[in-house]
Amino acid sequence: MAALQHLTGLCGMSAGTLSELLDKTEGFKKELTAPAPSFSPSLQGRRIALVFFENSTRTRFSFELAARNLGASTLGFSASTSSVTKGETLSDTIKNLEAMQVDAFVLRHSASGSAEFISAITQKPVINAGDGSNEHPTQALLDMFTLREHFGKLQGIKVAIIGDVLHSRVARSNIHGLLTMGAEVGLCSPVTLLPPDSEKLGVSLFTDLDRALGWADAALVLRLQLERATGGYLPSLQEYSVHYGLTDERLERTARHLLVLHPGPINREIEISNRVADRIQPPGYSKSMLLEQVTNGVAVRMAVLQTLLADTP
Ligand code: NCD
């Protein structure tokens, strides 16, 4: 793999690099789910700063676990208790942490482009854990890994990305990654929640959810980003849920064998019904991969940290 210095996004990443990260993830998943997991501490002594300016449960915990599994230590940072509340800038914050000999930064920030910006001012690897509505590369890698594990390949599979595409960094990273790996991508959302440049992305566009589900092998359901969508996008949540909510009845009617993914956190009974979100079986029916994705998230983050840090001084 050409040396990967930072992971700010999947846009422009080659199929070879993506495949190598997914292959590495497979190895870590095996170790992680073994009856008595034991990891080689390849990042012993490394210090990883988890710099989170936005809330997180899955991403933050899984980066922390991934780092610890590899023997690294983590420094937690949350903007609300830091000097950011006194007006310190993002770049000063990063430079100060770097001066304390931190070895890598995992950054989540509400500003699109913030990870790219930080990667230009530090010598240390920067991993984007979600920047505004731009990219969330490790989430897309874990979604792609989950799909690859289930279907045995990404080439040629059809993935419908459903919901608030406009505000979703998860959607953007998945579109880049899945298309690069030869999957077909369909976007299904109300026109107000579709990015203006969508027809140029090389994806199929749907406004009718039944048609999208009939087309797809897998549905990646997005959370309605209520904190970013400040009014005017939807007549009402109830109407959204009627037209774009993934319900048992809808799957039964249109897509009984669909694989269902969601990055979490879920708005239960808005974009996904309880029964669909919680369904593991019965066989032959749509299958929810939500918790499998979370497990895979730890393995993906181990692969990313290892790749970026193991060979750097
Ligand atoms: C996503 C995020 O924060 O972008 N969540 C996550 O990382 N698991 C998706 C979301 O918040 O909707």
Side-chain angles (χ1 to χ4, degrees):
M1 186 187 307
L4 196 62
Q5 211 192 337
H6 304 284
L7 180 64
T8 54
L10 298 192
C11 180
M13 189 177 279
S14 71
T17 303
L18 287 169
S19 294
E20 286 186 46
L21 284 170
L22 296 176
D23 291 346
K24 215 177 226 192
T25 300
E26 198 171 316
F28 282 124
K29 168 96 186 259
K30 279 201 191 97
E31 291 179 30
L32 200 61
T33 51
S38 77
F39 305 106
S40 100
S42 55
L43 299 187
Q44 188 89 50
R46 315 306 286 276
R47 293 160 299 255
I48 298 169
L50 306 177
V51 186
F52 277 64
F53 286 83
E54 280 190 343
N55 294 341
S56 172
T57 301
R58 279 152 293 271
T59 306
R60 185 170 171 156
F61 266 94
S62 56
F63 265 114
E64 189 149 351
L65 274 169
R68 289 182 188 195
N69 287 345
L70 296 171
S73 55
T74 55
L75 297 88
F77 172 100
S78 105
S80 60
T81 54
S82 74
S83 286
V84 170
T85 58
K86 301 178 191 170
E88 188 164 37
T89 64
L90 173 60
S91 52
D92 282 337
T93 305
I94 296 294
K95 282 179 188 154
N96 277 270
L97 292 172
E98 188 172 13
M100 293 178 214
Q101 309 304 315
V102 158
D103 294 300
F105 295 100
V106 177
L107 177 75
R108 171 168 285 195
H109 198 281
S110 59
S112 298
S114 47
E116 195 71 46
F117 168 69
I118 288 308
S119 70
I121 63 161
T122 170
Q123 301 304 312
K124 304 296 179 186
V126 174
I127 300 167
N128 183 3
D131 62 328
S133 46
N134 182 38
E135 283 229 33
H136 191 351
T138 58
Q139 178 67 46
L141 284 167
L142 78 86
D143 295 335
M144 290 161 65
F145 179 78
T146 305
L147 290 164
R148 193 180 86 157
E149 210 180 27
H150 182 85
F151 292 107
K153 59 176 186 174
L154 288 171
Q155 177 77 37
I157 65 162
K158 295 191 176 96
V159 184
I161 302 181
I162 297 163
D164 189 355
V165 183
L166 180 65
H167 299 104
S168 177
R169 51 199 180 202
V170 176
R172 294 188 93 77
S173 289
N174 266 291
I175 293 168
H176 295 308
L178 286 167
L179 290 178
T180 303
M181 295 306 290
E184 289 185 47
V185 177
L187 305 181
C188 179
S189 73
V191 280
T192 48
L193 291 177
L194 211 54
D197 58 349
S198 294
E199 63 287 343
K200 298 195 198 122
L201 294 172
V203 297
S204 306
L205 299 179
F206 299 90
T207 46
D208 182 81
L209 182 54
D210 287 353
R211 280 194 50 225
L213 297 179
W215 168 86
D217 300 309
L220 173 55
V221 186
L222 302 171
R223 181 176 66 90
L224 203 50
Q225 307 266 308
L226 298 166
E227 75 278 28
R228 288 183 228 281
T230 47
Y233 291 100
L234 300 167
S236 74
L237 285 184
Q238 199 198 3
E239 194 158 333
Y240 177 83
S241 140
V242 169
H243 292 289
Y244 291 98
L246 218 63
T247 60
D248 223 39
E249 181 275 326
R250 197 187 285 279
L251 289 184
E252 184 65 15
R253 184 158 40 85
T254 57
R256 288 185 63 169
H257 303 285
L258 202 72
L259 199 71
V260 178
L261 289 82
H262 189 306
I266 55 180
N267 293 309
R268 284 179 178 269
E269 302 295 331
I270 296 181
E271 71 262 355
I272 192 166
S273 73
N274 285 326
R275 286 189 65 185
V276 174
D278 298 334
R279 166 169 293 147
I280 309 297
Q281 290 297 354
Y285 279 76
S286 69
K287 189 170 175 193
S288 163
M289 302 302 283
L290 275 59
L291 294 178
E292 195 70 29
Q293 286 171 271
V294 177
T295 303
N296 293 341
V298 179
V300 155
R301 285 157 184 138
M302 289 174 77
V304 167
L305 290 173
Q306 231 258 350
T307 301
L308 288 175
L309 278 159
D311 301 327
T312 57

